[in-house]
């Protein structure tokens, strides 16, 4: 079967980038980002189209994957899905793109804990006797400039249920953080540093206060009101 030309303007940016790799660069050969941009002078975000191809099983190494490459160079290692064919472009090979080694690396980086609820592998949930099973999930992230990216995260089976399309909006997170009071920010910084939500004196006092019988809660409240005057 003959491939369509990479210069065919009826094709989308992703398909044309894939065909350009095959027809101009060639498998195993290196290319520079500037060459890609020169090939598609009118296409915005052509770098992103190139990165998107990795989701379709295309292997393109950067200097991070291959130390023999310079920072400007990338190597077209192997072709993936035929993204120029109708239907092919809709099925990113997300699962297949995570190798066992990558999976282990992600789990280790997340301390073998679910990033959503904090449960560790094999620990049982408080309300059941079911041990937690950890998975590596792919999440869509909306970056502050409005573009989207994907990242991988450790998640327990329970937190992952029905959330395959969950999107994280970085701008929203930043806005929430900015709206915090200086004290709340300080608490958040402590949690971030510990990578764990630690109970500060405030939460401990609150927890103990809530466990008191009503007349003692009133006594504590009255004491506090006196102190604040
Ligand atoms: Zn969880």
């Amino acid at each position: 079967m003959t491939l369509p030309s990479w210069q065919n303007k009826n094709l989308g940016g992703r398909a044309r980038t894939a065909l350009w790799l095959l027809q101009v660069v060639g498998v195993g050969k290196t290319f520079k980002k500037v060459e890609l941009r020169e090939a598609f002078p009118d296409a915005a975000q052509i770098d992103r189209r190139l990165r998107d191809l990795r989701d379709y099983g295309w292997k393109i190494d950067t200097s991070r994957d291959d130390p023999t490459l310079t920072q400007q160079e990338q190597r077209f290692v192997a072709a993936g899905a035929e993204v120029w064919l109708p239907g092919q472009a809709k099925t990113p090979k997300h699962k297949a793109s995570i190798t066992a080694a990558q999976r282990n690396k992600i789990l280790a980086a997340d301390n073998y804990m679910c990033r959503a609820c904090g449960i560790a592998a094999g620990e049982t949930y408080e309300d059941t006797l079911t041990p937690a099973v950890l998975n590596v999930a792919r999440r869509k992230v909306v970056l502050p400039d409005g573009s989207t990216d994907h990242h991988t995260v450790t998640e327990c089976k329970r937190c992952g249920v029905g959330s395959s399309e969950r999107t994280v909006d970085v701008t929203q997170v930043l806005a929430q953080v900015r709206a915090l009071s200086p004290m709340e920010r300080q608490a958040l910084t402590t949690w971030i540093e510990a990578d764990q939500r630690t109970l500060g004196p405030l939460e401990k006092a609150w927890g103990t206060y809530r466990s008191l019988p009503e007349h003692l809660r009133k006594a504590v409240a009255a004491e506090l009101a006196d102190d604040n005057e």
Side-chain angles (χ1 to χ4, degrees):
M1 199 181 92
T2 42
L3 295 176
S5 163
W6 69 274
Q7 284 168 309
N8 183 342
K9 296 209 168 158
N10 295 324
L11 295 169
R14 190 192 296 128
R16 290 186 62 197
T17 308
L19 292 164
W20 178 79
L21 286 172
L22 285 170
Q23 292 163 1
V24 179
V25 179
V27 175
K29 302 278 171 34
T30 63
F31 61 97
K32 293 197 170 96
K33 267 189 184 173
V34 60
E35 292 170 325
L36 175 70
R37 291 199 197 114
E38 276 167 10
F40 299 92
D42 306 324
Q45 298 200 311
I46 198 70
D47 294 350
R48 190 167 295 278
R49 296 289 87 77
L50 182 76
R51 264 181 284 149
D52 284 350
L53 285 174
R54 294 203 178 95
D55 290 343
Y56 297 87
W58 289 67
K59 191 157 162 40
I60 302 146
D61 280 356
T62 65
S63 57
R64 265 181 296 175
D65 310 301
D66 179 348
T68 66
L69 295 170
T70 66
Q71 281 212 315
Q72 289 76 37
E73 281 178 323
Q74 302 196 41
R75 177 175 281 114
F76 171 35
V77 180
E82 297 166 302
V83 291
W84 49 88
L85 297 178
Q88 282 292 318
K90 284 186 198 129
T91 51
K93 294 191 168 20
H94 284 165
K95 292 243 163 77
S97 67
I98 301 176
T99 65
Q102 282 169 323
R103 192 176 174 276
N104 285 335
K105 215 168 129 186
I106 295 157
L107 287 170
D110 286 338
N111 291 319
Y112 299 91
M113 273 163 58
C114 169
R115 299 305 302 181
C117 71
I119 204 161
E123 256 186 337
T124 49
Y125 297 100
E126 271 176 31
D127 54 342
T128 63
L129 294 172
T130 324
V133 177
L134 298 180
N135 290 322
V136 170
R138 272 181 72 97
R139 287 274 168 265
K140 202 169 158 187
V141 192
V142 182
L143 300 172
D145 67 357
S147 62
T148 57
D149 210 342
H150 283 89
H151 74 133
T152 41
V153 71
T154 303
E155 215 174 49
C156 75
K157 223 169 167 179
R158 181 188 273 194
C159 290
V161 167
S163 65
S164 61
E165 287 302 308
R166 191 190 294 156
T167 303
V168 189
D169 190 330
V170 178
T171 312
Q172 221 172 4
V173 177
L174 287 172
Q176 282 168 347
V177 171
R178 287 197 185 103
L180 295 175
S181 71
M183 203 180 107
E184 289 168 325
R185 273 201 206 200
Q186 209 180 358
L188 182 65
T189 308
T190 315
W191 297 346
I192 290 171
E193 279 164 5
D195 199 23
Q196 191 175 21
R197 184 179 159 182
T198 48
L199 292 182
L202 183 61
E203 286 92 352
K204 278 184 189 156
W206 169 248
T208 320
Y209 161 80
R210 288 289 297 167
S211 70
L212 295 173
E214 202 201 345
H215 68 283
L216 290 178
R217 286 208 303 271
K218 276 189 177 151
V220 172
E223 186 90 0
L224 190 64
D226 282 349
D227 283 355
N228 285 344
E229 270 167 20

